[in-house]
Amino acid sequence: MTLATKRKIGFGLGILVLLLGVALGVFLLKRQELLTYALRQVKARVERKYPVTLTLGPARFTDLNTVQIEGMSLVPRAQTNDTLLRARLMTVALSVRSLFAGRPVFSNLEISDARLTARKTARSDNYSFLYRKKGPQPAVPRDTTQGTNYALLANQVLEASFDNVPGQADFRNFLITYDSPRHRARITMPRLAIEDGDITGQLTAVVDSVENRVGVQGHIEPGDYALNAEVFGLDRRPVVLPYVLRRYGARVQFDTLRFSLADKELNDDELTVRGTASAANFIVNHPKLSDRDVRFPRGGIDFVARLGQAFAALDKGTKVTLNRMEFFPVISIRKLPLNQRVTGRDVNGLRNRRETMAGMQVKADIRSAETAANTFFAALPEGMFNTLEGMRGEGTLTYNMHFALDMNQLDSLQFNSGLTPKNFRITRFGRENLNKLNEEFLYTAYNDKGDSIKTFAVGPSNPEFVSYRDVSPYLKAAIMTAEDPRFLNHKGFMEKAFVKSAIQNIKEKRFARGGSTISMQLVKNVFLTRQKTVTRKVEEALIVWLLENTRLVPKERMFEVYLNIIEWGPKKYGVSEAAEFYFSKSPADLNLSESLYLASIIPRPKYYQRSFNNYGEMRSSARYFHRLIADLMVRKGLIGQNDRESLTYNLSFPGPAHGSIFRAVRPDTTRTVLAADSAQFEPLNLIDLLGGAAPDEGVNTNTTPPAEEPTPKP
């Protein structure tokens, strides 16, 4: 290279440096003016997008491209005195190139000592404008009877949340408060940072008086609507869900919750969202669920969720995992259009009182993978199957369930549920030895409060014990006809009877009818507590399935134990005490009328006197029961026509029960008592029969105590 060439290059570089220096000087002289312009652009852009007033404090450069803003506030225009967001200090990085181009680009947001104050009243709030769509909407008539479009609502929330997430951010000493007529929340974040999509932070949340100290970490890609997040309790304390505790009185907690959102897709006003969620040490506690914590050590879901006009669904492709057991649910919930129904009559007897109501339609199909027996038992939630904890087995089990309910057509309810075994057998019992039903064992009777009343042996060592063959055939036939007509043939469950019970319970909004078979009543009394909880009912069903499907206990023995332990009056347990208490007889000597009476009081043994009026005459409702059960026994060939024709309603009670049944009480003739409607005292299976069901489709466990009839005048 020649000397002349070197001089030219040096001269050119000098000029370039000079120009850069001049440009830098101009920029340094003008940058404050450019910054003011840029901030005006930001303010205008925000206020065009949202109905707010943005106020920015004094701003200055702290280095070449870092800007510090002393103070910021965001106030909704509709609530001019209600500041939504306020910050003492903000620091951002400003692109110099974008500044000269007139389109300022900010990044690396840092906010210190900020406060977000959200408020909601009965009529308005100061935050919903953030996710409402602005501008004219399509002129499509809105049909309010079709309900909320959850797809559009969820999509708006997701887009507003992801679109407002900065790529780089650092929040320090951030306080978030929320006040509404129903809820209050206060969230303190010492620090929450987002760097290249990675999220880290800690917070203390007090929501409806429930306090949690929580750690958060994860990764977010706002442009792809993708998120992976993990929420965990700090200081080895669990995270308790506050809303569920206040709304439903249930304590729901976990140690760690992981959530991911893979993608979302909005087509034809339907939103499909795919993702996963899992929890470690997930615990639920509610008095109606269980008397103790129900714990799921490990569980998760891979979900395909679909939302639309008044419906939500988990679609095919969803998988739920409990420990190593996998379930594949397909569930949909749809809110039905408003309709009207007649609720009464006016003073002229015309059916013109109507009630507008909205129903709901629920469909669920759940199946499990074919699962090894020990994997199945290990997957059972802790605290839900206490009797079976530690049980082992061989072979495999597969679970299937179908459920369909239309609240506007309750009679269309469909439900079936069952386990399918393959080479299955029990190799080790859990806490309770289910085989004890085949042997003599001690039984403790409890009252409804859970207090023990008496303990006695169920077996030959007890002089009150009565074997199956020593019980009157009339009594055995009467009980099976009234309580469980298919006891000798079914495998523990009567799905049709259960469904009809559920229909009536839903209609009456109370537990009006039961659906338990003799097998279920036996398991409840021998192995479980008296508490009426969901988990106890589920545990009862599983134990019944194990007993019946492994043929662990013969039917005759099950019925024998049942006869010797059930309550037949105040502190009267077993058929021997019952026959003596009422009739001063042995169980083998009971006649048809006496057997029908004993069968009639099993559902409500404490109301044994209600079958008779003050003069000892059998009420019409009790006579109806006797006739109907006797007719069914004739149809099934359990008794002959001669037995039916000799049926009498004039029972004598030579036993100790005589004094409480034949009460020398003068009737109160000053009041009028309506005649009892016998239909309300029919056992469940009788209602099924009268409705056209087959004679063996019913089961009774919960009949209503008879009402008083008019007392004959002296």
Side-chain angles (χ1 to χ4, degrees):
M1 182 180 296
T2 64
L3 180 61
T5 302
K6 291 181 179 179
R7 287 178 177 177
K8 289 180 181 179
I9 293 174
F11 182 74
L13 290 174
I15 293 176
L16 179 61
V17 170
L18 179 62
L19 290 175
L20 290 175
V22 172
L24 179 61
V26 172
F27 170 71
L28 293 175
L29 290 173
K30 293 290 186 179
R31 66 175 182 173
Q32 190 63 38
E33 183 178 335
L34 292 172
L35 175 62
T36 302
Y37 168 78
L39 294 180
R40 285 202 301 266
Q41 291 287 95
V42 170
K43 174 180 171 67
R45 191 160 59 237
V46 170
E47 293 181 351
R48 279 197 305 269
K49 186 175 182 180
Y50 301 109
V52 297
T53 299
L54 174 64
T55 303
L56 298 172
R60 63 184 180 87
F61 281 94
T62 59
D63 57 29
L64 185 63
N65 67 337
T66 302
V67 176
Q68 188 178 84
I69 304 172
E70 297 179 1
M72 180 274 290
S73 67
L74 192 69
V75 181
R77 294 195 193 113
Q79 294 95 9
T80 55
N81 296 321
D82 192 357
T83 302
L84 175 64
L85 178 63
R86 185 189 303 276
R88 182 185 63 82
L89 185 66
M90 295 175 58
T91 302
V92 295
L94 177 60
S95 168
V96 176
R97 180 179 177 181
S98 69
L99 186 62
F100 277 105
R103 298 179 62 85
V105 175
F106 294 92
S107 60
N108 297 346
L109 174 65
E110 295 182 10
I111 300 180
S112 299
D113 302 324
R115 178 163 185 165
L116 175 66
T117 305
R119 295 187 179 91
K120 181 178 181 180
T121 66
R123 294 185 177 180
S124 64
D125 61 66
N126 69 342
Y127 56 84
S128 61
F129 64 86
L130 291 170
Y131 54 82
R132 285 189 192 134
K133 287 191 174 181
K134 189 177 178 182
Q137 299 298 313
V140 178
R142 184 183 177 190
D143 185 358
T144 58
T145 64
Q146 298 303 313
T148 304
N149 191 314
Y150 298 112
L152 298 181
L153 179 60
N155 191 64
Q156 288 178 15
V157 172
L158 284 173
E159 290 189 350
S161 301
F162 278 90
D163 292 348
N164 287 285
V165 173
Q168 304 283 336
D170 193 350
F171 301 93
R172 298 174 183 269
N173 193 21
F174 201 160
L175 175 63
I176 300 173
T177 61
Y178 173 78
D179 287 286
S180 76
R182 308 177 95 181
H183 302 285
R184 299 191 66 184
R186 182 183 180 91
I187 302 174
T188 304
M189 292 189 297
R191 187 179 184 188
L192 178 67
I194 303 175
E195 184 175 356
D196 295 328
D198 292 332
I199 305 171
T200 57
Q202 295 182 0
L203 58 90
T204 299
V206 181
V207 182
D208 295 336
S209 302
V210 176
E211 180 176 345
N212 289 297
R213 292 197 66 241
V214 176
V216 180
Q217 62 184 26
H219 184 82
I220 187 169
E221 294 290 345
D224 297 330
Y225 298 102
L227 171 68
N228 285 285
E230 180 177 307
V231 179
F232 51 92
L234 298 174
D235 305 324
R236 296 184 178 181
R237 295 176 58 187
V239 179
V240 180
L241 299 185
Y243 176 77
V244 178
L245 183 62
R246 176 171 176 174
R247 178 67 176 83
Y248 301 103
R251 176 169 53 84
V252 179
Q253 66 183 56
F254 58 86
D255 289 349
T256 302
L257 178 67
R258 295 178 178 87
F259 176 82
S260 72
L261 183 65
D263 64 75
K264 73 175 186 71
E265 183 178 354
L266 183 65
N267 286 320
D268 298 328
D269 288 345
E270 286 193 3
L271 177 69
T272 300
V273 180
R274 295 174 176 84
T276 66
S278 63
N281 201 27
F282 187 83
I283 294 175
V284 182
N285 184 293
H286 190 281
K288 291 185 178 180
L289 177 66
S290 176
D291 59 345
R292 56 185 291 190
D293 288 349
V294 176
R295 178 174 174 265
F296 301 81
R298 292 179 299 277
I301 179 173
D302 299 337
F303 61 84
V304 180
R306 187 164 50 93
L307 304 172
Q309 188 82 47
F311 84 88
L314 285 177
D315 279 351
K316 187 176 181 180
T318 299
K319 180 177 72 173
V320 175
T321 304
L322 291 179
N323 288 340
R324 289 184 295 137
M325 188 171 182
E326 297 179 344
F327 297 87
F328 304 94
V330 177
I331 302 171
S332 67
I333 301 175
R334 183 179 297 275
K335 192 173 182 181
L336 299 174
L338 297 173
N339 66 351
Q340 289 187 333
R341 67 175 183 179
V342 176
T343 60
R345 300 175 183 270
D346 63 10
V347 293
N348 298 317
L350 299 177
R351 301 176 63 191
N352 65 348
R353 288 177 54 198
R354 295 182 177 272
E355 178 184 80
T356 301
M357 59 178 296
M360 186 171 292
Q361 188 180 76
V362 182
K363 295 181 179 179
D365 286 281
I366 301 174
R367 65 177 179 87
S368 77
E370 186 174 336
T371 307
N374 288 336
T375 301
F376 173 84
F377 291 127
L380 298 178
E382 297 176 10
M384 193 169 181
F385 298 91
N386 303 328
T387 304
L388 303 178
E389 286 184 8
M391 179 170 282
R392 308 282 290 179
E394 294 179 350
T396 63
L397 295 166
T398 304
Y399 177 73
N400 285 277
M401 188 270 280
H402 170 73
F403 176 84
L405 172 64
D406 186 332
M407 292 297 292
N408 288 346
Q409 300 179 35
L410 292 178
D411 291 336
S412 67
L413 173 66
Q414 300 174 19
F415 176 80
N416 57 69
S417 170
L419 282 170
T420 302
K422 184 177 179 181
N423 301 324
F424 172 75
R425 73 182 187 92
I426 299 172
T427 58
R428 188 179 75 188
F429 293 110
R431 290 187 178 183
E432 283 278 3
N433 179 5
L434 302 185
N435 194 50
K436 78 177 186 179
L437 287 175
N438 288 315
E439 307 162 353
E440 180 170 313
F441 65 95
L442 289 178
Y443 172 74
T444 300
Y446 295 89
N447 61 19
D448 292 337
K449 297 180 180 179
D451 302 322
S452 61
I453 298 175
K454 63 186 295 187
T455 299
F456 54 90
V458 182
S461 69
N462 181 357
E464 299 291 333
F465 178 80
V466 181
S467 67
Y468 181 86
R469 64 178 178 272
D470 292 330
V471 177
S472 167
Y474 290 126
L475 181 61
K476 290 185 286 190
I479 292 175
M480 287 189 193
T481 302
E483 289 289 303
D484 190 350
R486 293 183 60 190
F487 171 70
L488 296 176
N489 300 315
H490 66 56
K491 291 189 176 182
F493 305 99
M494 299 283 291
E495 288 182 353
K496 291 183 179 179
F498 174 83
V499 167
K500 292 183 179 181
S501 299
I503 290 172
Q504 183 171 342
N505 294 337
I506 295 172
K507 287 179 177 179
E508 300 189 20
K509 297 181 180 181
R510 66 185 183 92
F511 190 76
R513 288 168 56 177
S516 295
T517 60
I518 287 177
S519 305
M520 297 172 76
Q521 295 178 56
L522 177 66
V523 165
K524 176 182 66 177
N525 282 282
V526 175
F527 296 110
L528 303 174
T529 66
R530 303 283 292 179
Q531 294 179 330
K532 296 181 179 180
T533 61
V534 173
T535 58
R536 197 220 71 190
K537 198 68 179 175
V538 175
E539 184 177 19
E540 172 189 307
L542 183 52
I543 296 174
V544 169
W545 186 90
L546 291 169
L547 288 176
E548 293 273 12
N549 286 270
T550 60
R551 300 181 180 178
L552 194 63
V553 185
K555 289 281 192 176
E556 185 175 298
R557 170 61 179 172
M558 293 176 71
F559 195 68
E560 180 180 81
V561 174
Y562 175 81
L563 290 174
N564 279 276
I565 66 171
I566 62 172
E567 185 178 8
W568 248 304
K571 298 182 181 180
K572 302 300 176 184
Y573 292 88
V575 64
S576 181
E577 283 193 3
E580 178 64 28
F581 178 68
Y582 294 104
F583 305 112
S584 292
K585 286 185 176 183
S586 69
D589 297 328
L590 295 170
N591 61 34
L592 177 59
S593 296
E594 294 164 343
S595 296
L596 287 169
Y597 170 75
L598 290 179
S600 72
I601 65 174
I602 289 177
R604 289 288 187 266
K606 293 181 176 61
Y607 298 98
Y608 67 95
Q609 314 103 316
R610 299 288 184 89
S611 295
F612 302 90
N613 62 23
N614 291 336
Y615 294 93
E617 298 169 334
M618 186 177 287
R619 299 181 183 276
S620 61
S621 57
R623 290 196 299 270
Y624 179 86
F625 176 92
H626 283 225
R627 288 195 304 270
L628 194 50
I629 295 295
D631 289 340
L632 290 172
M633 292 168 70
V634 171
R635 287 170 55 184
K636 298 176 67 132
L638 299 175
I639 60 174
Q641 188 62 39
N642 291 336
D643 292 316
R644 170 64 182 89
E645 292 174 357
S646 63
L647 179 65
T648 178
Y649 308 116
N650 297 318
L651 291 174
S652 61
F653 293 88
H658 179 89
S660 55
I661 292 177
F662 295 95
R663 295 162 291 174
V665 179
R666 184 176 180 82
D668 181 4
T669 58
T670 63
R671 64 186 181 93
T672 301
V673 183
L674 297 177
D677 177 9
S678 61
Q680 65 180 309
F681 312 127
E682 300 164 21
L684 188 152
N685 67 295
L686 305 183
I687 296 177
D688 295 340
L689 286 167
L690 296 177
D696 57 357
E697 288 183 350
V699 58
N700 168 52
T701 61
N702 194 8
T703 50
T704 307
E708 294 294 331
E709 288 183 328
T711 306
K713 295 182 180 181

